[in-house]
Amino acid sequence: MKSNITATRTSIMENAEIQFAEKGYEGSSVRDIADRANVNAAVIYYHFKSKEQLYKAIFTLRLAQLNEALRSNCPDESQTSYSRLGSYVSIYIRKIRENFYFHRLLNAEIFSFRDGFFKRSILGSVSGNANIFKEVLKQGIARKEFRPVDIDLFLMSLFHLLHQVIGRSPLASELLSIEEIPEEEMIGRIRDFLFYLLYPQTGISGASFN
């Protein structure tokens, strides 16, 4: 019985995620989500009480999953800073791929902050994830494996680049003709670009993102 309840709740959230990403929060009704999830609207209200609570539950879950993925897959400290950064970026890219619709929602909310909940949740998650990357960059600079870049600006560029390109935003699609380029090739271009920015001298091949 419990497994059925969990499966129903998961299905509602996954279908709501797609609905919100395609139609927006305001453009999606509980009935729309119920039809997509093939359940009665009353079932959604049983699990989430309101559309807003459902929307917030999606953000709480996905942000926690991203944070857990980064923290539970820590690369070996003995690895080079290049390899460690490459590992974390690979995890980040994988989570964007796995939760493509959520990251479309995240991009939209970053520029709106519907209420205090979203501001706290998103900024708290971003700050926690950024700190993981910061430590790798600081270590790389201390070891002279990286140039002394402005870490904060580098991370701003990194996260924005990943969300725009891997998340296939309209802007990235237009400027980079993403639809015409295999995703692995684009990931390789991102890798080479990032390591070109960091490496003290040009000409190094970055860590694998596979």
Side-chain angles (χ1 to χ4, degrees):
M1 179 67 177
K2 186 176 180 180
S3 61
N4 290 337
I5 292 175
T6 300
T8 299
R9 182 182 175 90
T10 299
S11 177
I12 291 171
M13 292 179 70
E14 289 176 347
N15 282 281
E17 193 172 61
I18 297 172
Q19 180 70 30
F20 288 135
E22 292 182 346
K23 303 298 182 180
Y25 179 82
E26 301 299 339
S28 300
S29 68
V30 171
R31 184 174 296 279
D32 293 330
I33 297 167
D35 289 344
R36 186 183 285 270
N38 197 29
V39 298
N40 190 288
V43 176
I44 294 179
Y45 285 117
Y46 170 79
H47 285 280
F48 299 99
K49 308 306 179 187
S50 68
K51 182 176 78 169
E52 181 180 24
Q53 283 197 16
L54 170 56
Y55 193 63
K56 288 180 177 180
I58 292 170
F59 273 79
T60 299
L61 174 66
R62 295 306 190 200
L63 292 174
Q65 288 175 336
L66 174 58
N67 187 266
E68 175 62 22
L70 289 170
R71 294 186 180 280
S72 63
N73 292 278
C74 300
D76 192 330
E77 289 280 345
S78 65
Q79 294 180 359
T80 66
S81 299
Y82 296 110
S83 295
R84 294 180 64 210
L85 183 61
S87 295
Y88 281 127
V89 171
S90 293
I91 294 168
Y92 206 91
I93 288 174
R94 188 181 76 242
K95 298 308 291 185
I96 294 177
R97 284 169 154 176
E98 290 175 357
N99 303 305
F100 174 77
Y101 289 103
F102 170 69
H103 284 278
R104 287 183 63 180
L105 293 179
L106 181 60
N107 284 337
E109 284 298 336
I110 284 173
F111 292 101
S112 66
F113 287 145
R114 189 176 309 280
D115 61 25
F117 168 84
F118 291 102
K119 184 174 182 178
R120 291 191 301 274
S121 298
I122 294 172
L123 292 183
S125 176
V126 169
S127 177
N129 295 338
N131 285 336
I132 294 174
F133 285 84
K134 277 184 179 180
E135 290 306 310
V136 178
L137 291 168
K138 288 179 180 178
Q139 186 180 70
I141 292 171
R143 292 177 173 178
K144 300 188 184 303
E145 293 175 317
F146 295 155
R147 291 191 298 129
V149 296
D150 185 314
I151 292 176
D152 294 329
L153 289 180
F154 178 85
L155 289 177
M156 284 282 291
S157 301
L158 171 61
F159 292 141
H160 186 71
L161 181 66
L162 294 180
H163 281 277
Q164 290 289 315
V165 176
I166 306 303
R168 295 181 178 270
S169 74
L171 177 62
S173 296
E174 178 66 24
L175 294 179
L176 300 174
S177 301
I178 286 178
E179 305 305 327
E180 302 172 10
I181 302 173
E183 188 169 78
E184 291 305 319
E185 179 182 332
M186 182 56 66
I187 291 173
R189 286 175 62 181
I190 293 173
R191 177 201 64 200
D192 292 342
F193 177 69
L194 293 177
F195 283 88
Y196 174 81
L197 293 178
L198 288 170
Y199 191 59
Q201 301 175 12
T202 59
I204 190 169
S205 176
S208 174
F209 278 18
N210 295 326

